[in-house]
Amino acid sequence: MKKFWWFLFGCAALISLAVEMTQEAHHWWEKIPGFYVFFGFAGCVAIILISKALGKLLLQKKEDYYDVR
Amino acid sequence: MFGSFYLPPFVYMIAGALVLPLLPKKTRSTAFLIFPLMTLLVIWTSPFGEISSVSYAGYTLTLVSMDALSRIFGTIFALIAFIGGVYAFNVKETAQQSAALLYAGGAVGVVFAGDYFTLFIFWELMAVASAYLIWARRTKEAQQAGMRYILVHLFGGSLLLSGILLHLSSGGSLRIEQIAPNASLSSWLILLGVGLNAAIPPLHAWLSDAYPKATIAGAVFLSAFTTKTAVYVLIRLFAGWEILIFAGVIMTLYGVIYAVLANNIREILAYHIISQVGFMVTGVGIGTALALNGAVAHAFCHILYKALLFMGAGAVLQTTGISQLTNLGGFARYQKATLALYMIGAFSISGFPLFNGFISKSMIVSAAGYAHYDIIMLLLMLASVGTFLSIGLKLPYFTWFGEDRGIRPTKTPKAMLAAMGIASFFCILLGVAPSLLYAYLPYEATYSPYTIPHLLEALQIPAFTFVAFWMLRGKLAGSPTITIDTDWFYRKPAGVVRTVFVDWVSVFFDAAERKSLALAHFISELSKNPVRFFFHDDSASTLYSPGRYRQPITAIMLFVLFGFILFAVAAIFS
């Protein structure tokens, strides 16, 4: 069942990419085929990894951080 | 309605705050709803122009100045006060409802203020009234956060006031008018004061610090008024200031990064206020008619969906008593209605087609493109990815799905669901029929969000954000930590400051007190029997006893008497 949903998802993505081919590009990045697909995926991965790295290195502290003196 | 009978819109809210405690207890929650509706009525029956002014100390204060920009902001403030009133229907503490009305009255007062003094007074009223909504939670951390909140806002208010006074003393007008970019020190001070309320980093930490600690209903009101009145003032005064573009883009991504790290559901939402207000600030910075319309429309839509999200998170907190993601999870099937209504807010904030975020956020992003800010446009889209990731995926997944921790929520109160229903209705209505909002936007610009390229972009990006989330969701699971922010600079050194300025000072005064008491004791001992210290009489009692020292005196007296007798005898015989 789960595989079926992912299959549908893939089909929808392919259709949207096909529709995209018919559109003219308004910005330089829209000339790259499937740019937004890549952008959504890579952007999400980058945000997670960068945030987590910042959190580990610098920002995250124990919950009582401000209570102990 | 006009002429001598005209009352400014804010009067209804503030009068409501004062009248509410005098009404019978059972009618208060219903009565609350009347005041925003009356405000709405007055706003929409008022003509444009300066309607109400008074003279004070040689100045003319314009209490109400109505135009398309102030009307659209006034409308959404009154509307959200109504929805918040429905949400707070079961709140038993009238002080909270009064504070909410006072807060709304302040916000309405700011957007219709025609001069700086009127604006400043309502600005401070908002700060004070909103602080109560944090304190009313009555936990130790809410009390402390509320204190930090009010101190930071008083600081911001004093920046604003010094800017205004400097502006006046250098011959500026009291009227609120557009300020030319990089004009003078006074305009920078005003910008800092307003920017603090708009939560522009590094002046933003009051928001993410205090909002998650406010009362459940209070957070709904807080999410609506303070930052959006600041956006309104930015549009009024600082449209086209390029620095705001960069400040805005930083805000959008700053909020995104912190929301990924946050573990408290209302803190995630609070950081995404900063992120969303970043879009508006960017729009103000771009300053074209389309960008400014986008900022106004986004403020309008944002207030609706953000209140909806805070109401959903509040319902979770109300029914489970938990707000940490690491303790929540696995009760979706017990809370379907709340989850569904929350998701409407989540789709709206993520800019899905048919929801109101789509029709407003895309205006700002497109305006950036038309003004040839390509990198800015891409960064804004990246922030949208982060919005969907945190609000649309992470928060609902780890709150309602994920690991079942055996949480069985109580029933969500009907009033809460009703309020969420009203907000959802408007989110979808504006998403489906954007012209309802576009028709009332203040600037001349045409825009149609539903074009094929926009739709493709708005579907492909979140679809593959979801794919990435699904692959990395294990990494996203919260950790029981807090994330330090710029409030570190006044919270962590607080210990040191306390040691130096409180502990050391009290040590000094303690010592001084002990020494002076000892001195006083010594003097009082001394005065009890001063003679003792002249004769080194160790065996003597501390108390003066006349008899003890009588002997030598009688001897002297005898000598004196003897002398008299001697002289007398000598006088007789001479």
Side-chain angles (χ1 to χ4, degrees):
Chain A
M1 196 64 193
K2 223 174 184 181
K3 269 187 186 153
F4 174 71
W5 287 111
W6 282 111
F7 173 71
L8 274 189
F9 180 89
C11 289
L14 284 176
I15 293 169
S16 81
L17 283 174
V19 176
E20 192 191 293
M21 291 296 179
T22 67
Q23 301 294 313
E24 61 172 311
H26 295 281
H27 302 281
W28 57 262
W29 59 81
E30 286 180 355
K31 294 193 183 107
I32 306 167
F35 174 80
Y36 289 124
V37 166
F38 171 77
F39 189 83
F41 185 84
C44 181
V45 172
I47 287 172
I48 295 175
L49 295 183
I50 292 173
S51 307
K52 285 288 169 189
L54 275 175
K56 274 228 174 75
L57 285 176
L58 194 63
L59 301 175
Q60 283 182 308
K61 307 280 173 193
K62 284 199 183 112
E63 278 176 326
D64 61 354
Y65 177 72
Y66 283 118
D67 302 328
V68 284
R69 276 218 256 154
Chain B
M1 200 117 213
F2 304 112
S4 53
F5 294 113
Y6 182 79
L7 286 173
F10 62 82
V11 169
Y12 296 91
M13 296 280 200
I14 294 172
L18 303 176
V19 167
L20 215 57
L22 307 176
L23 297 174
K25 255 204 165 96
K26 277 184 183 163
T27 62
R28 284 177 196 167
S29 293
T30 319
F32 181 104
L33 303 175
I34 296 169
F35 303 108
L37 290 179
M38 279 162 76
T39 310
L40 212 52
L41 183 73
V42 174
I43 291 172
W44 281 90
T45 52
S46 299
F48 283 169
E50 292 182 0
I51 305 172
S52 173
S53 43
V54 291
S55 291
Y56 180 74
Y59 289 106
T60 308
L61 302 185
T62 311
L63 296 183
V64 182
S65 165
M66 181 85 64
D67 62 7
L69 175 61
S70 53
R71 187 176 62 181
I72 194 90
F73 269 91
T75 305
I76 187 61
F77 286 156
L79 180 62
I80 208 65
F82 176 82
I83 295 174
V86 175
Y87 189 75
F89 203 84
N90 297 327
V91 171
K92 293 280 179 288
E93 192 200 1
T94 313
Q96 253 191 79
Q97 290 165 322
S98 277
L101 275 177
L102 213 53
Y103 185 24
V108 170
V110 166
V111 298
F112 292 117
D115 66 274
Y116 282 114
F117 275 157
T118 311
L119 180 135
F120 179 74
I121 287 166
F122 287 117
W123 195 263
E124 295 295 287
L125 175 67
M126 279 170 61
V128 175
S130 57
Y132 184 76
L133 295 175
I134 300 159
W135 278 321
R137 189 88 198 280
R138 297 187 203 291
T139 59
K140 185 164 169 264
E141 57 169 6
Q143 195 188 356
Q144 291 171 338
M147 189 48 98
R148 287 192 294 271
Y149 174 91
I150 191 82
L151 287 176
V152 170
H153 276 288
L154 291 179
F155 170 67
S158 60
L159 285 176
L160 179 62
L161 184 63
S162 18
I164 292 171
L165 293 177
L166 205 58
H167 169 78
L168 289 178
S169 66
S170 58
S173 154
L174 192 61
R175 292 166 56 87
I176 294 176
E177 287 163 334
Q178 197 72 44
I179 299 175
N182 309 332
S184 56
L185 176 64
S186 64
S187 48
W188 283 106
L189 283 172
I190 295 175
L191 180 60
L192 280 178
V194 178
L196 187 142
N197 267 28
I200 299 177
L203 304 173
H204 69 286
W206 57 269
L207 192 157
S208 46
D209 176 23
Y211 284 16
K213 291 159 193 141
T215 64
I216 288 172
V220 176
F221 293 101
L222 286 165
S223 76
F225 296 128
T226 302
T227 46
K228 260 62 73 185
T229 45
V231 168
Y232 164 84
V233 177
L234 286 177
I235 295 174
R236 272 272 178 237
L237 300 177
F238 300 102
W241 280 52
E242 202 174 23
I243 189 175
L244 290 178
I245 299 178
F246 306 108
V249 170
I250 289 170
M251 284 172 81
T252 59
L253 292 167
Y254 196 99
V256 160
I257 288 173
Y258 271 86
V260 171
L261 297 174
N263 187 34
N264 180 320
I265 49 177
R266 294 198 298 172
E267 192 179 334
I268 297 175
L269 296 179
Y271 273 115
H272 270 282
I273 294 179
I274 298 173
S275 179
Q276 294 298 305
V277 171
F279 280 90
M280 300 165 214
V281 172
T282 308
V284 178
I286 295 169
T288 60
L290 179 64
L292 292 177
N293 267 354
V296 176
H298 202 45
F300 194 98
C301 294
H302 170 83
I303 288 175
L304 286 167
Y305 62 65
K306 184 56 78 175
L308 174 55
L309 293 169
F310 263 100
M311 289 192 276
V316 170
L317 181 56
Q318 169 94 16
T319 56
T320 65
I322 307 170
S323 61
Q324 309 298 115
L325 280 185
T326 37
N327 300 332
L328 286 163
F331 59 95
R333 67 202 138 111
Y334 302 103
Q335 213 169 57
K336 282 184 185 134
T338 309
L339 170 61
L341 291 165
Y342 171 88
M343 285 314 292
I344 291 174
F347 287 138
S348 299
I349 194 176
S350 309
F352 273 51
L354 302 181
F355 295 93
N356 68 356
F358 177 72
I359 66 137
S360 56
K361 183 157 64 180
S362 61
M363 282 175 97
I364 298 171
V365 178
S366 295
Y370 294 144
H372 304 291
Y373 289 109
D374 282 354
I375 301 295
I376 301 289
M377 191 176 171
L378 284 172
L379 289 175
L380 291 181
M381 288 196 283
L382 184 63
S384 294
V385 169
T387 307
F388 181 53
L389 170 67
S390 285
I391 307 287
L393 298 170
K394 174 189 162 183
L395 195 155
Y397 181 80
F398 290 106
T399 301
W400 284 287
F401 300 98
E403 191 187 328
D404 190 345
R405 293 178 212 273
I407 297 162
R408 297 295 169 259
T410 57
K411 229 168 148 240
T412 311
K414 282 203 181 72
M416 286 188 166
L417 287 175
M420 294 175 75
I422 300 170
S424 305
F425 169 77
F426 282 108
C427 285
I428 294 172
L429 179 72
L430 295 178
V432 176
S435 55
L436 288 177
L437 178 60
Y438 288 177
Y440 298 103
L441 293 180
Y443 302 97
E444 288 296 325
T446 50
Y447 184 72
S448 46
Y450 287 106
T451 62
I452 292 176
H454 269 154
L455 287 172
L456 285 174
E457 176 200 320
L459 292 171
Q460 285 176 348
I461 292 180
F464 282 83
T465 302
F466 171 72
V467 174
F469 164 79
W470 199 252
M471 288 164 64
L472 291 176
R473 65 187 189 281
K475 242 180 150 25
L476 260 183
S479 51
T481 53
I482 58 164
T483 317
I484 53 168
D485 202 338
T486 52
D487 54 349
W488 185 90
F489 290 100
Y490 52 81
R491 289 181 71 178
K492 200 61 186 175
V496 179
V497 171
R498 215 188 138 78
T499 311
V500 174
F501 288 100
V502 179
D503 291 355
W504 288 4
V505 169
S506 63
V507 164
F508 173 78
F509 278 105
D510 274 358
E513 191 185 359
R514 271 199 308 276
K515 288 275 180 264
S516 53
L517 278 177
L519 183 67
H521 181 74
F522 172 73
I523 290 173
S524 76
E525 286 298 301
L526 183 62
S527 49
K528 277 178 192 161
N529 191 3
V531 181
R532 184 159 67 103
F533 293 91
F534 297 112
F535 292 101
H536 296 288
D537 181 4
D538 288 337
S539 64
S541 140
T542 53
L543 289 176
Y544 177 71
S545 140
R548 184 168 177 80
Y549 302 102
R550 201 160 282 152
Q551 215 70 31
I553 293 175
T554 46
I556 292 167
M557 293 302 282
L558 272 177
F559 264 113
V560 172
L561 200 58
F562 183 68
F564 271 114
I565 292 169
L566 218 59
F567 277 112
V569 170
I572 289 169
F573 290 102
S574 64

